[in-house]
Amino acid sequence: MAPLTREQMAARVARALPHGAFVNLGIGMPSLVARHIAPAQDVTLHSENGLLLFGGPPPAGMADTDLVDAGKNPVTILPGGSYFDSSLSFSMMRGGHLDVAVLGGFEVSAGGDLSNWWTGAADDPQGVGGAMDLASGARQIWVLMEHRTRDGRPKIVERCAYPLTARGVVTRIFTDLAVIAVRREGLVVEEMVGGWIWTACRPGPGRA
Amino acid sequence: MAPLTREQMAARVARALPHGAFVNLGIGMPSLVARHIAPAQDVTLHSENGLLLFGGPPPAGMADTDLVDAGKNPVTILPGGSYFDSSLSFSMMRGGHLDVAVLGGFEVSAGGDLSNWWTGAADDPQGVGGAMDLASGARQIWVLMEHRTRDGRPKIVERCAYPLTARGVVTRIFTDLAVIAVRREGLVVEEMVGGWIWTACRPGPGRA
Amino acid sequence: MPDRVVDSYRDAVAGLRRGDAVMLGGFGAAGVPLGLIAAGLALGVRDLTVIANNAGFGGADLTSWIEAGMVSRVICSYPRTSPACVALWQQGRLAVEVLPQGTLVERMRCAGAGLGGAVSVGTVLAEGKESRVIDGREYVLELPLRADMALIRAHRADRFGNLTYRMTARNFAPMMATAAKLVAAECAELVEPGGIDPEHVVTPGIFVDRVVMQGSLAWRP
Amino acid sequence: MPDRVVDSYRDAVAGLRRGDAVMLGGFGAAGVPLGLIAAGLALGVRDLTVIANNAGFGGADLTSWIEAGMVSRVICSYPRTSPACVALWQQGRLAVEVLPQGTLVERMRCAGAGLGGAVSVGTVLAEGKESRVIDGREYVLELPLRADMALIRAHRADRFGNLTYRMTARNFAPMMATAAKLVAAECAELVEPGGIDPEHVVTPGIFVDRVVMQGSLAWRP
């Protein structure tokens, strides 16, 4: 079977979100998760720029530059939503009030370390935004990423080569090939896409 | 001339408030200052329970238990006033955003130490409220108190005997006999009630 | 969107246990959650640590818990207004810890914001705490102050738990709502989601677990 | 009650000096004070340290100051969106300090609240800062972040300087307003005192020094 598409991956994450959860979706692929969450799941989305309980983009022509998510995309607020300042927003994130943060990843280590904010190259400008606050503060950190880099190397590794976003925080990894839990005893494959075997997607040693 | 009455003392403090100042009036005698502030002074009163720009008590029968000052007295909010939580209120106080706090005092030392929160007696319950936050945070601390205790001992002393509220913070003392500035070089009598001489009201050594 | 509304004060305080730390909103009479306090009184739980600005003024506020022997420790800024609190403390039957009001609220915020502590202005009441000088001024390390339950009074609430407050009844409640494991709010008005302008929400629903409408008197024994 | 309204953007930014630290509100395009930034550009002050969430996106935002050579240092959480910022940094002509967004706002709050610092969750970007373990978790000491001037965009303002914001344009502005010596806010609506419900004020006037109505174009050279 083919690896999951990005939308299929996003849908898989959406299905896994607990009922009633407060969730922050990182920029990039994690933001695709929103459209796959069923209303019956009663999930509340948080955005670090100061927004709780919002939905997808407004109809064409109705976008408002004052109403955006953390990825600067126009969104709509839902009944029961609220606006607040960055201080209270980061209290929600750092204070453990979010149930799940779904983040993109460059690499995840077998011990749950996450790299997703900077390549470490001297001429690559850093850009952290709220990634470290989320990774350190949400109750569960789920990573949504391709299983392998474009040139075929595993992104789940023994040890991250890229600068870390946070240490030992990732609890679940959703890829185009598998769903993997990060447990104290190690990585546990919860699901695999049919036709793929674990030896094909087990952690690599990481970049030299 | 007789010593000033409490109302006269309060009026003297009111007259000294700078134009446009943000001011917190402590409970007790300092709260009497409010009624003597002229509208043209553009003074804004702050109350630590979360209130800015308020006026005196409402007409009889119109008091609202949800609208009180720090002394739990019913007040009225003025146009341009605001409500906020204790956290933001204490940011105003501790962050140096108030120009003047007028506080009562048990004792003030020649170095500007203030005692006004606790007698120190083992069976006397402590009650600090916002006194320490104000004394440490407002830009100027003025103390409004009788010059002497009921049994005639000076309340301006070389060294405070009561537990301190804050060290070296008092900038001016308003009593029934004098207005005294606390300067680096020592106490400076700015005004005296006619007929009184400084030797009668200079600092005492403090309680044994 | 979860529905936070419970049917009775009794349901709102359910789970309060011996030895819990409980935050009670209010400054003076403003914002004291009298219905929730009465429901707690009916539970009769003991050995509580209560965190509040005042220790009550007598009657149906925190004083009622103290008089009923439910409280073993009070953390507050001003205990003197409660005769029962003062008397039991003088008899050595109640521990009272007094904090500057600003320290009290800052420590709540630390707990709610996931901070390890605040480097706060040194006060006489902080003597003995770890201190340091920064930019020539003395500061002390103040640690987070958490609770198992916070009982607060809101004005308008929606089913999602968004809250507004009324006048100076707001005081400590927004910070307490961030600092407790379980937050129960009584409210004077209950509306559907959308009934509070999203610009006017003071405490977003993420911080609130239970909402009970004032007058929900089913708690009475 | 003092009147905070000034007649022009030029008056609102008057006093901005070489070497100042300036906070600029905004997240994305939401809340960026374009009028105040343009007035600052007209002043052409140099060696500024600018504290903002983003380094701009090009055009009339912070990028315009960077392109004009006014900025020697940027403190932000996400500089990558500004090509001018990235290019000058790569050429070694602009210092860029990147902070986690939560650390950035917490340090502003410390400055505004009179704290000596916050004991904040340790992150990779805090390595080298003083750290300590509290309750088994590693924290670092983060110090206050102050500014000489904060330029922010509000929605409704009254003459006293009370502010409300619009939607997610609120973001950093309320904290910046507490952390700068001089705070100038541009607003879309200006009302008399009382024109904002006291329950709905987000930034009380005590924090605001100057208010300018959007469209006050007298700043143009």
Side-chain angles (χ1 to χ4, degrees):
Chain A
M1 241 167 92
L4 300 184
T5 64
R6 288 161 60 88
E7 290 294 343
Q8 286 171 322
M9 291 163 69
R12 181 64 194 88
V13 171
R15 211 164 66 235
L17 290 170
H19 185 267
F22 288 84
V23 176
N24 184 298
L25 302 174
I27 59 177
M29 189 156 40
S31 68
L32 300 180
V33 172
R35 70 181 79 159
H36 297 284
I37 300 170
Q41 289 185 272
D42 267 356
V43 162
T44 301
L45 293 183
H46 169 267
S47 184
E48 58 258 44
N49 51 326
L51 180 59
L52 198 66
L53 198 45
F54 62 96
M62 299 289 286
D64 188 317
T65 55
D66 283 344
L67 181 46
V68 296
D69 66 13
K72 286 91 181 174
N73 307 301
V75 293
T76 45
I77 193 162
L78 301 177
S82 55
Y83 304 114
F84 35 86
D85 69 23
S86 300
S87 177
L88 192 60
S89 189
F90 281 84
S91 287
M92 294 177 191
M93 295 157 71
R94 294 155 58 120
H97 304 282
L98 293 178
D99 297 298
V100 181
V102 184
L103 301 173
F106 297 164
E107 292 172 323
V108 177
S109 83
D113 296 349
L114 172 64
S115 295
N116 76 349
W117 74 286
W118 184 39
T119 63
D123 64 344
D124 181 35
Q126 300 178 333
V128 65
M132 289 186 185
D133 308 289
L134 268 178
S136 305
R139 289 186 201 147
Q140 287 210 53
I141 305 297
W142 294 359
V143 171
L144 173 60
M145 64 180 188
E146 310 288 340
H147 207 100
R148 296 154 304 181
T149 64
R150 276 176 209 169
D151 52 359
R153 288 179 302 179
K155 296 178 69 172
I156 303 173
V157 296
E158 289 300 332
R159 187 181 302 265
C160 293
Y162 290 114
L164 294 188
T165 307
R167 285 195 186 83
V169 297
V170 178
T171 52
R172 267 177 125 183
I173 312 168
F174 295 79
T175 78
D176 49 340
L177 297 183
V179 178
I180 296 164
V182 183
R183 304 233 177 103
R184 208 173 291 254
E185 64 271 24
L187 300 177
V188 176
V189 180
E190 296 183 329
E191 288 178 23
M192 293 219 44
V193 172
W196 290 81
I197 58 170
W198 174 237
T199 50
C201 61
R202 70 181 169 196
R207 293 188 310 162
Chain B
M1 239 168 94
L4 300 184
T5 64
R6 288 162 59 90
E7 290 295 343
Q8 287 172 323
M9 291 163 69
R12 181 64 195 86
V13 171
R15 209 164 69 235
L17 291 170
H19 185 268
F22 288 85
V23 177
N24 184 298
L25 301 175
I27 59 177
M29 189 154 43
S31 67
L32 300 179
V33 172
R35 73 181 77 161
H36 297 284
I37 300 170
Q41 288 185 271
D42 267 356
V43 162
T44 301
L45 293 182
H46 168 269
S47 184
E48 58 257 46
N49 51 326
L51 179 59
L52 198 65
L53 198 45
F54 62 96
M62 299 289 286
D64 187 317
T65 55
D66 284 344
L67 181 47
V68 294
D69 66 12
K72 285 91 182 176
N73 306 303
V75 294
T76 45
I77 193 163
L78 300 177
S82 55
Y83 303 114
F84 35 86
D85 68 22
S86 300
S87 176
L88 192 60
S89 188
F90 281 83
S91 287
M92 294 176 192
M93 294 157 70
R94 292 155 59 120
H97 305 280
L98 294 178
D99 297 297
V100 181
V102 183
L103 302 174
F106 297 164
E107 291 173 322
V108 176
S109 83
D113 296 349
L114 172 64
S115 295
N116 76 351
W117 74 286
W118 184 39
T119 63
D123 64 345
D124 181 35
Q126 300 178 333
V128 65
M132 289 186 185
D133 309 288
L134 269 177
S136 305
R139 289 185 200 148
Q140 286 210 54
I141 305 298
W142 294 0
V143 172
L144 173 59
M145 63 180 189
E146 310 288 341
H147 208 101
R148 297 153 303 181
T149 62
R150 276 177 209 166
D151 51 1
R153 288 179 304 179
K155 295 177 71 173
I156 303 173
V157 295
E158 289 299 333
R159 185 183 303 267
C160 294
Y162 289 112
L164 293 188
T165 307
R167 283 194 188 84
V169 297
V170 178
T171 52
R172 267 176 125 184
I173 312 168
F174 295 79
T175 77
D176 50 339
L177 298 184
V179 179
I180 297 165
V182 183
R183 304 234 178 103
R184 207 174 293 255
E185 62 271 25
L187 300 177
V188 176
V189 180
E190 297 183 329
E191 289 179 21
M192 292 217 46
V193 172
W196 290 83
I197 56 172
W198 174 239
T199 48
C201 62
R202 70 182 170 197
R207 292 189 311 161
Chain C
M1 193 186 50
D3 187 336
R4 305 303 193 191
V5 178
V6 297
D7 292 334
S8 69
Y9 283 115
R10 175 183 286 178
D11 291 343
V13 300
L16 185 66
R17 287 184 308 190
R18 181 171 192 148
D20 275 356
V22 185
M23 290 174 174
L24 297 182
F27 183 104
V32 176
L34 291 175
L36 293 167
I37 290 173
L41 184 66
L43 286 180
V45 179
R46 302 184 78 82
D47 282 337
L48 297 177
T49 292
V50 177
I51 302 162
N53 184 56
N54 307 107
F57 296 82
D61 60 19
L62 168 54
T63 296
S64 70
W65 286 12
I66 294 172
E67 288 172 345
M70 292 168 59
V71 183
S72 60
R73 182 178 190 81
V74 172
I75 301 175
C76 69
S77 86
Y78 210 82
R80 304 172 67 115
T81 50
S82 171
C85 177
V86 170
L88 285 177
W89 170 74
Q90 286 171 333
Q91 295 162 28
R93 293 163 61 200
L94 176 65
V96 176
E97 182 180 352
V98 173
L99 295 175
Q101 201 174 144
T103 301
L104 185 63
V105 72
E106 194 65 39
R107 290 182 60 187
M108 291 175 190
R109 183 179 177 277
C110 282
L115 296 174
V119 183
S120 181
V121 180
T123 64
V124 179
L125 276 169
E127 277 170 4
K129 293 182 178 175
E130 178 183 334
S131 72
R132 64 185 303 154
V133 173
I134 298 176
D135 282 344
R137 192 164 185 193
E138 190 178 342
Y139 293 93
V140 294
L141 176 63
E142 295 286 356
L143 298 177
L145 190 58
R146 304 171 204 286
D148 298 290
M149 201 177 278
L151 307 180
I152 60 177
R153 176 155 74 82
H155 178 56
R156 179 177 286 187
D158 69 21
R159 294 195 161 271
F160 179 52
N162 289 312
L163 306 179
T164 69
Y165 302 90
R166 187 163 178 273
M167 302 173 165
T168 58
R170 188 182 306 195
N171 58 74
F172 285 81
M175 287 301 123
M176 290 178 169
T178 71
K181 282 184 210 149
L182 194 150
V183 176
E186 59 179 85
C187 66
E189 293 180 14
L190 182 60
V191 297
E192 292 302 311
I196 304 175
D197 184 328
E199 302 281 7
H200 301 160
V201 170
V202 178
T203 295
I206 191 172
F207 295 118
V208 180
D209 300 284
R210 298 172 183 168
V211 171
V212 62
M213 178 73 178
Q214 281 170 5
S216 302
L217 295 179
W219 62 268
R220 286 196 185 280
Chain D
M1 194 185 49
D3 186 337
R4 306 300 193 193
V5 178
V6 296
D7 292 334
S8 70
Y9 282 115
R10 175 183 285 178
D11 291 342
V13 301
L16 185 65
R17 287 184 307 188
R18 181 171 191 147
D20 274 356
V22 185
M23 291 175 174
L24 297 182
F27 184 103
V32 177
L34 291 174
L36 293 166
I37 290 173
L41 184 66
L43 287 180
V45 181
R46 302 184 77 83
D47 283 338
L48 298 177
T49 292
V50 177
I51 303 162
N53 184 56
N54 308 106
F57 296 82
D61 60 19
L62 169 54
T63 296
S64 69
W65 286 12
I66 294 173
E67 287 172 346
M70 293 168 58
V71 183
S72 59
R73 180 180 192 80
V74 173
I75 301 174
C76 70
S77 86
Y78 210 81
R80 303 173 67 118
T81 50
S82 170
C85 177
V86 170
L88 285 177
W89 170 75
Q90 284 170 335
Q91 295 162 28
R93 293 164 58 201
L94 176 66
V96 176
E97 182 180 353
V98 173
L99 296 175
Q101 200 175 143
T103 301
L104 185 62
V105 72
E106 193 66 38
R107 290 183 59 188
M108 291 174 190
R109 183 180 178 278
C110 283
L115 297 174
V119 183
S120 181
V121 180
T123 65
V124 178
L125 276 169
E127 277 170 7
K129 293 182 178 175
E130 178 184 335
S131 71
R132 63 186 303 154
V133 174
I134 299 177
D135 282 345
R137 193 165 186 194
E138 191 178 341
Y139 294 93
V140 293
L141 176 63
E142 297 286 358
L143 298 178
L145 189 58
R146 304 171 205 286
D148 298 290
M149 202 178 276
L151 307 180
I152 60 176
R153 176 155 75 79
H155 178 56
R156 178 177 286 187
D158 69 21
R159 294 194 162 270
F160 179 52
N162 288 312
L163 306 179
T164 69
Y165 303 91
R166 187 164 177 272
M167 302 174 165
T168 58
R170 188 182 307 195
N171 58 73
F172 285 82
M175 287 301 123
M176 289 177 170
T178 70
K181 281 183 212 152
L182 194 151
V183 176
E186 60 178 85
C187 67
E189 294 179 13
L190 182 61
V191 297
E192 293 302 312
I196 303 176
D197 184 327
E199 302 282 5
H200 301 159
V201 171
V202 178
T203 295
I206 190 171
F207 296 117
V208 180
D209 299 285
R210 298 173 183 168
V211 170
V212 62
M213 179 74 177
Q214 281 170 4
S216 303
L217 295 179
W219 60 268
R220 286 194 186 282

PDB file of all heavy atoms in Angstrom, chain A residues 34-53:
ATOM      1  N   ALA A  34      -6.946  20.376  11.345  1.00  0.00           N
ATOM      2  CA  ALA A  34      -8.177  21.059  11.765  1.00  0.00           C
ATOM      3  C   ALA A  34      -9.394  20.598  10.976  1.00  0.00           C
ATOM      4  O   ALA A  34     -10.439  20.270  11.545  1.00  0.00           O
ATOM      5  CB  ALA A  34      -7.995  22.573  11.636  1.00  0.00           C
ATOM      6  N   ARG A  35      -9.245  20.534   9.660  1.00  0.00           N
ATOM      7  CA  ARG A  35     -10.438  20.257   8.838  1.00  0.00           C
ATOM      8  C   ARG A  35     -10.938  18.822   8.968  1.00  0.00           C
ATOM      9  O   ARG A  35     -12.012  18.492   8.488  1.00  0.00           O
ATOM     10  CB  ARG A  35     -10.153  20.596   7.374  1.00  0.00           C
ATOM     11  CG  ARG A  35      -9.185  19.659   6.715  1.00  0.00           C
ATOM     12  CD  ARG A  35      -8.914  20.034   5.280  1.00  0.00           C
ATOM     13  NE  ARG A  35      -7.964  21.134   5.208  1.00  0.00           N
ATOM     14  CZ  ARG A  35      -7.234  21.429   4.130  1.00  0.00           C
ATOM     15  NH1 ARG A  35      -7.376  20.744   3.019  1.00  0.00           N
ATOM     16  NH2 ARG A  35      -6.379  22.416   4.144  1.00  0.00           N
ATOM     17  N   HIS A  36     -10.159  17.977   9.623  1.00  0.00           N
ATOM     18  CA  HIS A  36     -10.558  16.572   9.768  1.00  0.00           C
ATOM     19  C   HIS A  36     -11.160  16.262  11.131  1.00  0.00           C
ATOM     20  O   HIS A  36     -11.550  15.126  11.389  1.00  0.00           O
ATOM     21  CB  HIS A  36      -9.348  15.665   9.513  1.00  0.00           C
ATOM     22  CG  HIS A  36      -8.808  15.775   8.126  1.00  0.00           C
ATOM     23  ND1 HIS A  36      -9.432  15.201   7.035  1.00  0.00           N
ATOM     24  CD2 HIS A  36      -7.737  16.435   7.635  1.00  0.00           C
ATOM     25  CE1 HIS A  36      -8.749  15.481   5.940  1.00  0.00           C
ATOM     26  NE2 HIS A  36      -7.705  16.235   6.270  1.00  0.00           N
ATOM     27  N   ILE A  37     -11.197  17.255  12.007  1.00  0.00           N
ATOM     28  CA  ILE A  37     -11.766  17.003  13.331  1.00  0.00           C
ATOM     29  C   ILE A  37     -13.286  17.024  13.226  1.00  0.00           C
ATOM     30  O   ILE A  37     -13.868  17.971  12.692  1.00  0.00           O
ATOM     31  CB  ILE A  37     -11.281  18.068  14.335  1.00  0.00           C
ATOM     32  CG1 ILE A  37      -9.757  18.039  14.447  1.00  0.00           C
ATOM     33  CG2 ILE A  37     -11.926  17.857  15.701  1.00  0.00           C
ATOM     34  CD1 ILE A  37      -9.163  19.217  15.222  1.00  0.00           C
ATOM     35  N   ALA A  38     -13.939  15.997  13.728  1.00  0.00           N
ATOM     36  CA  ALA A  38     -15.395  15.928  13.662  1.00  0.00           C
ATOM     37  C   ALA A  38     -16.002  16.809  14.744  1.00  0.00           C
ATOM     38  O   ALA A  38     -15.483  16.864  15.861  1.00  0.00           O
ATOM     39  CB  ALA A  38     -15.847  14.482  13.854  1.00  0.00           C
ATOM     40  N   PRO A  39     -17.085  17.495  14.428  1.00  0.00           N
ATOM     41  CA  PRO A  39     -17.730  18.337  15.452  1.00  0.00           C
ATOM     42  C   PRO A  39     -18.048  17.552  16.729  1.00  0.00           C
ATOM     43  O   PRO A  39     -17.919  18.087  17.833  1.00  0.00           O
ATOM     44  CB  PRO A  39     -19.015  18.814  14.764  1.00  0.00           C
ATOM     45  CG  PRO A  39     -18.687  18.768  13.299  1.00  0.00           C
ATOM     46  CD  PRO A  39     -17.736  17.605  13.119  1.00  0.00           C
ATOM     47  N   ALA A  40     -18.407  16.299  16.583  1.00  0.00           N
ATOM     48  CA  ALA A  40     -18.774  15.514  17.760  1.00  0.00           C
ATOM     49  C   ALA A  40     -17.596  15.267  18.688  1.00  0.00           C
ATOM     50  O   ALA A  40     -17.777  14.847  19.823  1.00  0.00           O
ATOM     51  CB  ALA A  40     -19.374  14.173  17.332  1.00  0.00           C
ATOM     52  N   GLN A  41     -16.393  15.537  18.215  1.00  0.00           N
ATOM     53  CA  GLN A  41     -15.234  15.330  19.084  1.00  0.00           C
ATOM     54  C   GLN A  41     -15.103  16.429  20.141  1.00  0.00           C
ATOM     55  O   GLN A  41     -14.326  16.289  21.080  1.00  0.00           O
ATOM     56  CB  GLN A  41     -13.942  15.292  18.245  1.00  0.00           C
ATOM     57  CG  GLN A  41     -13.805  14.026  17.409  1.00  0.00           C
ATOM     58  CD  GLN A  41     -12.453  13.980  16.703  1.00  0.00           C
ATOM     59  OE1 GLN A  41     -12.295  14.501  15.595  1.00  0.00           O
ATOM     60  NE2 GLN A  41     -11.484  13.364  17.344  1.00  0.00           N
ATOM     61  N   ASP A  42     -15.824  17.518  19.943  1.00  0.00           N
ATOM     62  CA  ASP A  42     -15.788  18.618  20.923  1.00  0.00           C
ATOM     63  C   ASP A  42     -14.370  19.091  21.202  1.00  0.00           C
ATOM     64  O   ASP A  42     -14.011  19.397  22.349  1.00  0.00           O
ATOM     65  CB  ASP A  42     -16.428  18.182  22.248  1.00  0.00           C
ATOM     66  CG  ASP A  42     -17.899  18.552  22.301  1.00  0.00           C
ATOM     67  OD1 ASP A  42     -18.376  19.208  21.357  1.00  0.00           O
ATOM     68  OD2 ASP A  42     -18.552  18.168  23.275  1.00  0.00           O
ATOM     69  N   VAL A  43     -13.574  19.130  20.157  1.00  0.00           N
ATOM     70  CA  VAL A  43     -12.202  19.598  20.325  1.00  0.00           C
ATOM     71  C   VAL A  43     -12.174  21.122  20.231  1.00  0.00           C
ATOM     72  O   VAL A  43     -12.864  21.718  19.409  1.00  0.00           O
ATOM     73  CB  VAL A  43     -11.278  18.970  19.261  1.00  0.00           C
ATOM     74  CG1 VAL A  43      -9.971  19.752  19.120  1.00  0.00           C
ATOM     75  CG2 VAL A  43     -11.001  17.515  19.611  1.00  0.00           C
ATOM     76  N   THR A  44     -11.398  21.752  21.098  1.00  0.00           N
ATOM     77  CA  THR A  44     -11.237  23.207  21.086  1.00  0.00           C
ATOM     78  C   THR A  44      -9.823  23.538  20.630  1.00  0.00           C
ATOM     79  O   THR A  44      -8.853  23.087  21.235  1.00  0.00           O
ATOM     80  CB  THR A  44     -11.464  23.781  22.496  1.00  0.00           C
ATOM     81  OG1 THR A  44     -12.777  23.440  22.929  1.00  0.00           O
ATOM     82  CG2 THR A  44     -11.302  25.293  22.496  1.00  0.00           C
ATOM     83  N   LEU A  45      -9.733  24.324  19.568  1.00  0.00           N
ATOM     84  CA  LEU A  45      -8.410  24.703  19.068  1.00  0.00           C
ATOM     85  C   LEU A  45      -7.933  26.001  19.710  1.00  0.00           C
ATOM     86  O   LEU A  45      -8.696  26.959  19.867  1.00  0.00           O
ATOM     87  CB  LEU A  45      -8.446  24.865  17.542  1.00  0.00           C
ATOM     88  CG  LEU A  45      -8.689  23.585  16.749  1.00  0.00           C
ATOM     89  CD1 LEU A  45      -8.634  23.882  15.258  1.00  0.00           C
ATOM     90  CD2 LEU A  45      -7.673  22.499  17.115  1.00  0.00           C
ATOM     91  N   HIS A  46      -6.659  25.997  20.043  1.00  0.00           N
ATOM     92  CA  HIS A  46      -5.974  27.152  20.613  1.00  0.00           C
ATOM     93  C   HIS A  46      -4.918  27.632  19.630  1.00  0.00           C
ATOM     94  O   HIS A  46      -4.249  26.828  18.993  1.00  0.00           O
ATOM     95  CB  HIS A  46      -5.298  26.740  21.922  1.00  0.00           C
ATOM     96  CG  HIS A  46      -4.334  27.761  22.474  1.00  0.00           C
ATOM     97  ND1 HIS A  46      -2.972  27.749  22.188  1.00  0.00           N
ATOM     98  CD2 HIS A  46      -4.538  28.819  23.291  1.00  0.00           C
ATOM     99  CE1 HIS A  46      -2.395  28.768  22.803  1.00  0.00           C
ATOM    100  NE2 HIS A  46      -3.302  29.423  23.484  1.00  0.00           N
ATOM    101  N   SER A  47      -4.784  28.930  19.509  1.00  0.00           N
ATOM    102  CA  SER A  47      -3.705  29.484  18.697  1.00  0.00           C
ATOM    103  C   SER A  47      -2.911  30.463  19.551  1.00  0.00           C
ATOM    104  O   SER A  47      -3.496  31.290  20.262  1.00  0.00           O
ATOM    105  CB  SER A  47      -4.276  30.182  17.464  1.00  0.00           C
ATOM    106  OG  SER A  47      -3.216  30.631  16.643  1.00  0.00           O
ATOM    107  N   GLU A  48      -1.589  30.390  19.491  1.00  0.00           N
ATOM    108  CA  GLU A  48      -0.773  31.094  20.489  1.00  0.00           C
ATOM    109  C   GLU A  48      -0.834  32.599  20.357  1.00  0.00           C
ATOM    110  O   GLU A  48      -0.436  33.315  21.277  1.00  0.00           O
ATOM    111  CB  GLU A  48       0.676  30.607  20.471  1.00  0.00           C
ATOM    112  CG  GLU A  48       1.394  30.732  19.157  1.00  0.00           C
ATOM    113  CD  GLU A  48       1.472  29.392  18.460  1.00  0.00           C
ATOM    114  OE1 GLU A  48       0.438  28.668  18.442  1.00  0.00           O
ATOM    115  OE2 GLU A  48       2.544  29.071  17.919  1.00  0.00           O
ATOM    116  N   ASN A  49      -1.310  33.103  19.227  1.00  0.00           N
ATOM    117  CA  ASN A  49      -1.418  34.553  19.107  1.00  0.00           C
ATOM    118  C   ASN A  49      -2.629  35.112  19.849  1.00  0.00           C
ATOM    119  O   ASN A  49      -2.846  36.329  19.812  1.00  0.00           O
ATOM    120  CB  ASN A  49      -1.414  34.987  17.643  1.00  0.00           C
ATOM    121  CG  ASN A  49      -2.415  34.247  16.797  1.00  0.00           C
ATOM    122  OD1 ASN A  49      -2.684  33.066  17.024  1.00  0.00           O
ATOM    123  ND2 ASN A  49      -2.986  34.919  15.824  1.00  0.00           N
ATOM    124  N   GLY A  50      -3.383  34.253  20.542  1.00  0.00           N
ATOM    125  CA  GLY A  50      -4.397  34.779  21.445  1.00  0.00           C
ATOM    126  C   GLY A  50      -5.825  34.471  21.055  1.00  0.00           C
ATOM    127  O   GLY A  50      -6.679  35.371  21.034  1.00  0.00           O
ATOM    128  N   LEU A  51      -6.093  33.209  20.796  1.00  0.00           N
ATOM    129  CA  LEU A  51      -7.363  32.815  20.206  1.00  0.00           C
ATOM    130  C   LEU A  51      -7.719  31.409  20.665  1.00  0.00           C
ATOM    131  O   LEU A  51      -6.882  30.513  20.612  1.00  0.00           O
ATOM    132  CB  LEU A  51      -7.191  32.860  18.683  1.00  0.00           C
ATOM    133  CG  LEU A  51      -8.347  32.505  17.793  1.00  0.00           C
ATOM    134  CD1 LEU A  51      -9.539  33.418  18.046  1.00  0.00           C
ATOM    135  CD2 LEU A  51      -7.905  32.609  16.333  1.00  0.00           C
ATOM    136  N   LEU A  52      -8.964  31.267  21.109  1.00  0.00           N
ATOM    137  CA  LEU A  52      -9.434  29.954  21.531  1.00  0.00           C
ATOM    138  C   LEU A  52     -10.771  29.683  20.853  1.00  0.00           C
ATOM    139  O   LEU A  52     -11.625  30.577  20.820  1.00  0.00           O
ATOM    140  CB  LEU A  52      -9.597  29.933  23.061  1.00  0.00           C
ATOM    141  CG  LEU A  52      -9.675  28.594  23.769  1.00  0.00           C
ATOM    142  CD1 LEU A  52      -8.369  27.813  23.658  1.00  0.00           C
ATOM    143  CD2 LEU A  52     -10.009  28.813  25.247  1.00  0.00           C
ATOM    144  N   LEU A  53     -10.932  28.459  20.381  1.00  0.00           N
ATOM    145  CA  LEU A  53     -12.184  28.000  19.783  1.00  0.00           C
ATOM    146  C   LEU A  53     -12.443  28.685  18.430  1.00  0.00           C
ATOM    147  O   LEU A  53     -13.317  29.537  18.289  1.00  0.00           O
ATOM    148  CB  LEU A  53     -13.360  28.233  20.745  1.00  0.00           C
ATOM    149  CG  LEU A  53     -14.660  27.459  20.496  1.00  0.00           C
ATOM    150  CD1 LEU A  53     -14.427  25.998  20.194  1.00  0.00           C
ATOM    151  CD2 LEU A  53     -15.611  27.609  21.654  1.00  0.00           C
TER     152      LEU A  53
END
